[in-house]
Amino acid sequence: MYEVSDQLYLEIAAQLMDEIGKREFFAGTVVHVEEEVECRLRCTLFVEHTNDAERGSRVKRITPVWWEFHTTEGSVERLNDFSFSTLMELSLGKE
């Protein structure tokens, strides 16, 4: 089983936030490749933003409609321990 590290969660989250931007709805794919391992998050999300006087608009909450996370090493798909909840906790903080 492929173990998803905190660092990988943070990298996937950063890419996802870049893709989301200021949209309130996101349907797409985020891909992270490191050496021979490709991690692919495919998701459909509702996004709630908040306006902060100091930091401007930022993502406050993400509600997943559907998601899947695939890990491929070489040409072989491997099971993984990805958790969407963990991704949200590390990227948005605990509410």
Side-chain angles (χ1 to χ4, degrees):
M1 175 163 306
Y2 186 82
E3 293 182 25
V4 179
S5 67
D6 285 354
Q7 182 62 39
L8 178 56
Y9 277 116
L10 291 173
E11 291 173 13
I12 293 288
Q15 288 180 269
L16 180 60
M17 294 304 163
D18 285 345
E19 290 292 324
I20 289 172
K22 295 185 179 188
R23 291 186 258 180
E24 295 180 357
F25 179 80
F26 174 79
T29 303
V30 174
V31 179
H32 177 78
V33 178
E34 189 169 311
E35 296 180 15
E36 289 189 26
V37 178
E38 177 183 281
C39 299
R40 181 178 298 267
L41 172 63
R42 187 172 294 149
C43 55
T44 302
L45 313 169
F46 288 111
V47 184
E48 183 180 336
H49 295 268
T50 186
N51 287 315
D52 186 309
E54 294 178 13
R55 299 188 304 187
S57 178
R58 65 180 184 86
V59 174
K60 177 181 179 182
R61 180 176 297 124
I62 293 177
T63 303
V65 175
W66 172 82
W67 64 268
E68 61 184 32
F69 189 84
H70 294 274
T71 307
T72 306
E73 189 169 10
S75 61
V76 178
E77 186 164 1
R78 296 186 56 198
L79 293 176
N80 61 68
D81 64 352
F82 179 84
S83 162
F84 198 86
S85 296
T86 302
L87 177 70
M88 291 299 95
E89 286 176 7
L90 289 172
S91 61
L92 300 177
K94 295 180 182 176
E95 295 186 358

